[in-house]
Amino acid sequence: MTDRPHNNTDWNRRTFLKVGMAGIGLTGAAIALKQLSELNSKARVIIPPLPSDAAMASGINPMAVLRDFDYGTIKQENGRQIREFRIIADNSTLQLNSAVTFNTWNFNNRVPGPTLRAKEGDRIRVLFLNQGGHSHSMHFHGFHRSEMDGVKPVRHGAATVYEFDAEPFGVHLYHCHTEPVTRHIGKGLYGMFIIDPPKSRPPADEMVLMMAGYDIDDDRHNELYAFNGLPDYYMMHPIPIYQNQLIRLYLLNMIEFDVAATFHLHANMFQVYPTGRTLKPTEETDVITMGTAERHILEFSFRYPGKYMFHPHQDYIAEAGCMGVFDVIERNA
């Protein structure tokens, strides 16, 4: 969860009517039951408290982004459940380090955009408003009809609605598909879209890591790299996790200009669920190679307390900001 407001309050009734969304009201009981069910499914998982120094930096808080899942708003229409999300394309500056300020194009005022989450078969509705100063769009990976493919630019000040069924289950992504696509993604217009299988996966401490690069001088090469938006953040602010507790890591490579990136975990091995499309792992390793837009679920737990690095094994990417540390804590510590 970012500490910045998503500006969703800016979506007034007039905006909804303009995009044809006179939706049926919320069903409070259904929402409460759904939230209770989601809480119960995680009842056996204990999340360490956020470090006191994990403050918001440059308007985002990568420590909060780790476990911030947007389940949308549930509505009932004509006997069917609709899961509705509101996304605004906008601009903001990001302080990448002490010397570099980067002008981002973003979704809901954060880089990466919110991690949208649904269950397979849900009807998804995305209300998209472009206030970014350029034409933008939202293209979702997965199954949908051609008119929902998000390749048609939405001009500044305009809104549109994307609606489709969430399928297939797995780890997907969304991004702006307005040309030049590389520039739009490189400026920050991307995010993760998780579709859970009909039967939930076992309880785990779930978190998201998205790798990305920053071309700060427009030479079509990345000078800086990051997990979840800010270079070196998780080196300066290690991620606390508990010893012997299952970690489920949703991992996405959104690095433009580099054809592939690896992910390596120190002092451990992880189970790999390719694209999140399997319920059983297909391999165990400590390094995995991913092309741009490739994503997987990785599962692991640490036997021993201590601090353990993770990073791409292309050292130039790691040394330019895409590097972090897990701080493994004894449960009774």
Side-chain angles (χ1 to χ4, degrees), residues 268-279:
N268 209 339
M269 306 288 281
F270 48 76
Q271 304 288 325
V272 181
Y273 299 75
T275 320
R277 292 288 297 123
T278 65
L279 299 179

Side-chain angles (χ1 to χ4, degrees), residues 48 51 67 205 207 234 237-247 265-268 300-310 324-333:
R67 300 181 177 93
D205 181 1
M207 60 185 69
Y234 298 119
H237 305 86
I239 301 169
I241 60 175
Y242 280 123
Q243 178 187 10
N244 293 323
Q245 179 164 265
L246 180 64
I247 304 297
L265 182 62
H266 279 216
N268 209 339
F300 55 89
S301 61
F302 277 92
R303 297 179 183 177
Y304 311 110
K307 290 184 170 62
Y308 302 94
M309 296 178 69
F310 60 86
V325 171
F326 285 116
D327 183 8
V328 181
I329 306 167
E330 292 183 72
R331 181 67 69 91
N332 58 357

Side-chain angles (χ1 to χ4, degrees), residues 168-327:
F169 76 81
V171 187
H172 305 296
L173 62 146
Y174 64 87
H175 58 86
C176 179
H177 211 294
T178 301
E179 295 182 353
V181 178
T182 297
R183 178 170 175 77
H184 286 239
I185 292 176
K187 296 286 281 183
L189 288 163
Y190 64 90
M192 185 177 285
F193 177 40
I194 297 172
I195 301 177
D196 291 314
K199 183 178 179 180
S200 299
R201 300 178 191 274
D205 181 1
E206 297 189 323
M207 60 185 69
V208 165
L209 286 178
M210 285 177 260
M211 298 187 284
Y214 289 105
D215 173 14
I216 60 177
D217 57 5
D218 292 327
D219 65 351
R220 299 185 64 80
H221 295 280
N222 296 310
E223 286 75 35
L224 294 172
Y225 298 84
F227 284 110
N228 290 348
L230 286 183
D232 290 319
Y233 182 88
Y234 298 119
M235 285 299 293
M236 295 182 286
H237 305 86
I239 301 169
I241 60 175
Y242 280 123
Q243 178 187 10
N244 293 323
Q245 179 164 265
L246 180 64
I247 304 297
R248 179 170 298 120
L249 177 61
Y250 297 88
L251 180 67
L252 167 62
N253 173 22
M254 284 304 292
I255 298 175
E256 296 285 343
F257 303 120
D258 297 81
V259 295
T262 59
F263 179 85
H264 170 51
L265 182 62
H266 279 216
N268 209 339
M269 306 288 281
F270 48 76
Q271 304 288 325
V272 181
Y273 299 75
T275 320
R277 292 288 297 123
T278 65
L279 299 179
K280 294 183 178 179
T282 60
E283 66 172 307
E284 182 180 66
T285 181
D286 63 354
V287 179
I288 190 166
T289 302
M290 306 167 69
T292 301
E294 197 166 358
R295 63 277 184 192
H296 301 301
I297 293 175
L298 310 182
E299 290 187 349
F300 55 89
S301 61
F302 277 92
R303 297 179 183 177
Y304 311 110
K307 290 184 170 62
Y308 302 94
M309 296 178 69
F310 60 86
H311 55 83
H313 227 295
Q314 294 99 330
D315 292 333
Y316 74 95
I317 295 179
E319 292 166 356
C322 201
M323 189 156 47
V325 171
F326 285 116
D327 183 8

Side-chain angles (χ1 to χ4, degrees), residues 7-169:
N7 288 337
N8 286 354
T9 53
D10 295 336
W11 286 67
N12 55 29
R13 181 171 176 79
R14 176 176 297 179
T15 303
F16 290 132
L17 293 175
K18 284 176 65 178
V19 296
M21 297 309 308
I24 297 175
L26 301 177
T27 304
I31 295 172
L33 288 172
K34 178 63 179 174
Q35 291 175 339
L36 181 61
S37 175
E38 289 166 349
L39 287 172
N40 286 340
S41 69
K42 300 174 181 177
R44 287 173 286 174
V45 177
I46 301 176
I47 307 299
L50 294 182
S52 58
D53 64 345
M56 182 172 62
S58 293
I60 63 173
N61 185 342
M63 193 63 72
V65 167
L66 277 174
R67 300 181 177 93
D68 180 21
F69 301 102
D70 183 351
Y71 290 91
T73 299
I74 303 297
K75 294 184 174 182
Q76 299 291 334
E77 293 184 13
N78 301 320
R80 182 163 192 187
Q81 179 172 290
I82 308 293
R83 190 178 295 271
E84 185 175 286
F85 300 94
R86 301 177 184 183
I87 302 293
I88 299 174
D90 210 335
N91 301 321
S92 64
T93 57
L94 197 58
Q95 193 71 37
L96 298 181
N97 58 36
S98 60
V100 178
T101 300
F102 189 76
N103 181 33
T104 72
W105 301 348
N106 55 63
F107 293 124
N108 284 1
N109 219 359
R110 49 175 274 180
V111 177
T115 299
L116 309 183
R117 191 159 183 175
K119 180 158 285 192
E120 187 177 62
D122 285 351
R123 188 67 170 177
I124 302 298
R125 178 178 294 154
V126 180
L127 310 180
F128 176 63
L129 176 63
N130 181 12
Q131 295 181 336
H134 304 266
S135 291
H136 294 305
S137 69
M138 293 188 73
H139 163 68
F140 285 82
H141 287 219
F143 299 151
H144 46 252
R145 301 174 67 87
S146 63
E147 58 267 32
M148 293 294 118
D149 202 32
V151 296
K152 181 179 179 181
V154 178
R155 61 178 172 77
H156 170 74
T160 193
V161 178
Y162 302 106
E163 188 163 323
F164 51 89
D165 292 337
E167 56 180 351
F169 76 81

